[in-house]
Amino acid sequence: MDGEHIITDLKDLCESDSITKNELLDLLKRYVQTISVYDQMMTTARLRKDGEFITTNYRDKYLKIYIENFIMRIKEVLMKSITYDDEIDVKSIKESSTAPEML
């Protein structure tokens, strides 16, 4: 399994009338497992390079937001063991998609 198929799997999941939070979390966990430590290091390096031209005040905030609160969530998703039974509004997922034709 590689990360390129997450859109297809998400599309398949959205074809059902109802999706539980647990089903979505399981999908995320499967794909998070494909992200290596090397991938995380390379992404962090790229974010730092992309932030070179941002003023110092904003650069620190930028790095904190994107590195700590985004990339480091990978571990949090993997360790999540709570079971959710409530459903997600499939219609809102489809409406919020940046590529509606994908879903």
Side-chain angles (χ1 to χ4, degrees):
M1 170 185 297
D2 60 36
E4 295 176 15
H5 295 91
I6 192 168
I7 298 297
T8 304
D9 287 349
L10 185 58
K11 179 181 175 182
D12 292 344
L13 188 62
C14 286
E15 287 178 358
S16 56
D17 293 333
S18 63
I19 303 170
T20 65
K21 289 181 180 179
N22 214 45
E23 290 172 317
L24 187 57
L25 181 59
D26 289 343
L27 178 67
L28 287 174
K29 281 184 178 184
R30 284 199 331 254
Y31 282 97
V32 164
Q33 290 172 351
T34 67
I35 302 170
S36 70
V37 172
Y38 176 76
D39 294 332
Q40 291 177 40
M41 289 178 0
M42 293 304 296
T43 303
T44 299
R46 179 153 186 174
L47 287 169
R48 288 185 187 283
K49 182 162 179 46
D50 289 349
E52 285 179 354
F53 301 105
I54 299 173
T55 61
T56 307
N57 284 354
Y58 295 116
R59 184 180 322 127
D60 294 340
K61 291 176 185 176
Y62 161 84
L63 292 173
K64 180 175 177 60
I65 289 169
Y66 284 99
I67 293 173
E68 289 182 23
N69 296 325
F70 182 70
I71 295 175
M72 297 307 169
R73 296 257 180 198
I74 293 169
K75 182 179 177 185
E76 184 180 330
V77 168
L78 279 173
M79 297 180 72
K80 199 79 153 173
S81 61
I82 297 173
T83 301
Y84 300 100
D85 291 327
D86 44 330
E87 293 183 358
I88 296 172
D89 182 6
V90 177
K91 183 179 175 185
S92 68
I93 291 176
K94 290 178 181 180
E95 289 174 356
S96 67
S97 171
T98 57
E101 66 279 355
M102 296 296 293
L103 299 175

